[in-house]
Amino acid sequence: MSKPEIRQHLDDMKADDAERLARFNTGGSSGEPLIFYIGSRRVSHDVAAKWRATRWWGVDIGDPEAVIWGSPIELGAQDKIRLLRDKLLRTHLIPAFEMSSEKLDGFIRQIQQIRPKMLFGYPSALAHIASHAEKKGVALNNLGIKVAFVTSERLYDHQRAKIESVFACPVANGYGGRDAGFIAHQCPEGGMHITAEDIIVEIVDKQGQPLPNGELGEIVVTHMATRDFPFIRYRTGDMGILSDKVCACGRGLPLLEEIQGRTTDFVVAQDGTVLHGLALIYVLRDLEGVDSFKITQDSLDKTTVQIVKTLKYQAAYEQKIIDEFKKRLGQAVTIKIEYTDYIPKERSGKFRYVISHVKA
Ligand SMILES: [Zn+2]
């Protein structure tokens, strides 16, 4: 299913016996607007998936939560049941679609009063509030916030860093939307775990054919709790990779490679082919004796690889890396290998394996 198909058949898509359908709209990460409906069963599943993920971070049902949301339509759709549910779950909604200085002061006061265990919202909104608090010298690092859940937008490193320092809590990235559901969420070990009981995630090529694990393609989801208004093999427009790795946390839910960094993590071959950074990362990951590494695509003609090696590293690997990189980026590309003792992390504390200065 594609967005144009849903647009064309909006009313036909509703089940004859559907009850209490709520109308939503979304911009989606691809920027394509869509109006659609969600049944109450579906809402329950998505809410349950979210609360399971919050438990991974030490936050449970009943702990106060501040939801910083920017969608006036969703706020307008609040009914009595919604208000009751929010009260029971101690969810406080902060409608952050206006970000004037006075409004920001107000949001900060609200957060101080709520003393939430978790924040939930758009990374841009949370980072903006954090910056404002910092500018005004308001300390928000003493509220006991355990985690900030961010979703619906790409999370930039500078946003993560700002939120983490001002609220003194880790940021947990989520992937999903009102349309596709609660697709995947990060655990404290960093794995993006798929809500596999509810959602079948497939990665497909341009022709819509499923790709094996490890290959980059469009994320297509089937939500099993959507009989009222089905989402079947729904094309999200987002690119991702299914992983067959097992997360260090021990949870059995399968992993989606992080979707974050869709511009910086891509590299471009000399012939213009856009490659996910993983195409290069896999080469280095496969070699014993590579302790850490960083790949920087300086230009279409030059890529630098920094490597911290251990005693197991063999001299012959250098040529192997060069050959494998050239195979992917082009034979005329200069691959420069630098050995170093230490590769610094980003200011956010997160490590970026691939940085490209070439625009895709
Ligand atoms: Zn995990």
Side-chain angles (χ1 to χ4, degrees):
M1 281 167 50
S2 63
K3 284 175 186 161
E5 281 162 356
I6 297 174
R7 255 181 240 127
Q8 258 172 38
H9 305 285
L10 186 65
D11 285 319
D12 301 331
M13 299 269 304
K14 298 177 188 168
D16 293 338
D17 58 353
E19 279 175 35
R20 298 212 336 256
L21 280 178
R23 186 178 181 278
F24 283 95
N25 79 21
T26 180
S29 52
S30 56
E32 268 186 277
L34 180 74
I35 293 165
F36 57 97
Y37 289 87
I38 285 183
S40 53
R41 180 179 144 88
R42 157 79 191 271
V43 172
S44 305
H45 278 254
D46 289 349
V47 168
K50 179 191 152 189
W51 281 102
R52 170 169 65 181
T54 67
R55 285 185 174 171
W56 300 344
W57 294 85
V59 177
D60 211 335
I61 293 175
D63 285 334
E65 171 197 27
V67 176
I68 289 98
W69 214 239
S71 162
I73 287 174
E74 279 196 33
L75 295 168
Q78 281 190 78
D79 53 20
K80 279 182 185 164
I81 291 164
R82 168 78 180 268
L83 288 173
L84 179 66
R85 193 190 78 201
D86 286 351
K87 203 173 167 189
L88 284 172
L89 296 177
R90 300 184 71 193
T91 294
H92 304 262
L93 219 51
I94 300 179
F97 40 90
E98 274 176 61
M99 288 280 195
S100 65
S101 185
E102 300 77 50
K103 290 267 185 189
L104 286 166
D105 291 339
F107 300 152
I108 290 167
R109 275 196 301 278
Q110 268 180 284
I111 292 170
Q112 286 174 316
Q113 278 158 17
I114 297 164
R115 297 186 75 84
K117 279 276 177 293
M118 75 177 281
L119 301 170
F120 185 88
Y122 294 112
S124 58
L126 285 176
H128 202 61
I129 292 170
S131 296
H132 189 77
E134 199 175 50
K135 226 183 288 167
K136 292 279 177 106
V138 183
L140 297 174
N141 58 0
N142 52 4
L143 298 176
I145 298 170
K146 285 192 169 166
V147 63
F149 264 36
V150 298
T151 183
S152 295
E153 283 177 347
R154 181 178 158 196
L155 169 65
Y156 291 91
D157 285 345
H158 67 270
Q159 294 172 331
R160 181 189 282 272
K162 186 64 75 188
I163 297 166
E164 287 186 343
S165 76
V166 171
F167 295 107
C169 69
V171 170
N173 197 12
Y175 171 59
R178 276 292 185 187
D179 49 351
F182 196 91
I183 299 172
H185 211 280
Q186 249 178 1
C187 75
E189 297 290 337
M192 280 286 252
H193 290 278
I194 295 171
T195 310
E197 303 93 335
D198 278 341
I199 298 177
I200 297 167
V201 176
E202 293 172 272
I203 303 295
V204 302
D205 63 17
K206 285 207 176 93
Q207 286 73 42
Q209 295 304 309
L211 289 166
N213 288 358
E215 286 190 31
L216 176 73
E218 183 173 355
I219 300 171
V220 169
V221 299
T222 298
H223 197 310
M224 306 301 278
T226 57
R227 71 173 297 287
D228 292 327
F229 188 95
F231 279 83
I232 299 168
R233 304 198 78 220
Y234 171 65
R235 298 181 57 170
T236 62
D238 296 324
M239 302 291 276
I241 295 171
L242 278 174
S243 167
D244 42 26
K245 271 180 286 181
V246 177
C247 187
C249 73
R251 292 180 181 90
L253 295 169
L255 299 175
L256 196 62
E257 296 277 352
E258 229 179 326
I259 311 97
Q260 174 200 341
R262 279 194 289 157
T263 52
T264 51
D265 285 350
F266 282 109
V267 290
V268 186
Q270 272 192 321
D271 65 3
T273 308
V274 177
L275 301 169
H276 194 280
L278 277 169
L280 303 179
I281 287 172
Y282 280 149
V283 175
L284 289 147
R285 268 194 197 157
D286 204 37
L287 299 175
E288 260 198 312
V290 175
D291 190 52
S292 66
F293 63 87
K294 186 172 196 162
I295 301 160
T296 307
Q297 183 168 40
D298 307 292
S299 70
L300 265 186
D301 305 319
K302 185 176 164 242
T303 289
T304 304
V305 188
Q306 289 172 286
I307 295 173
V308 179
K309 55 183 183 179
T310 69
L311 290 173
K312 285 191 178 160
Y313 189 86
Q314 296 173 23
Y317 287 168
E318 186 163 313
Q319 196 54 48
K320 191 173 175 190
I321 294 166
I322 291 169
D323 292 347
E324 292 293 328
F325 273 44
K326 283 189 172 190
K327 241 188 251 172
R328 290 161 174 82
L329 295 173
Q331 288 302 328
V333 175
T334 303
I335 310 294
K336 191 177 167 209
I337 301 204
E338 293 175 355
Y339 298 100
T340 173
D341 291 328
Y342 175 70
I343 300 172
K345 287 184 178 179
E346 299 292 305
R347 273 192 302 178
S348 63
K350 219 186 146 181
F351 199 83
R352 278 167 82 198
Y353 291 104
V354 178
I355 292 175
S356 177
H357 299 299
V358 180
K359 277 222 170 91

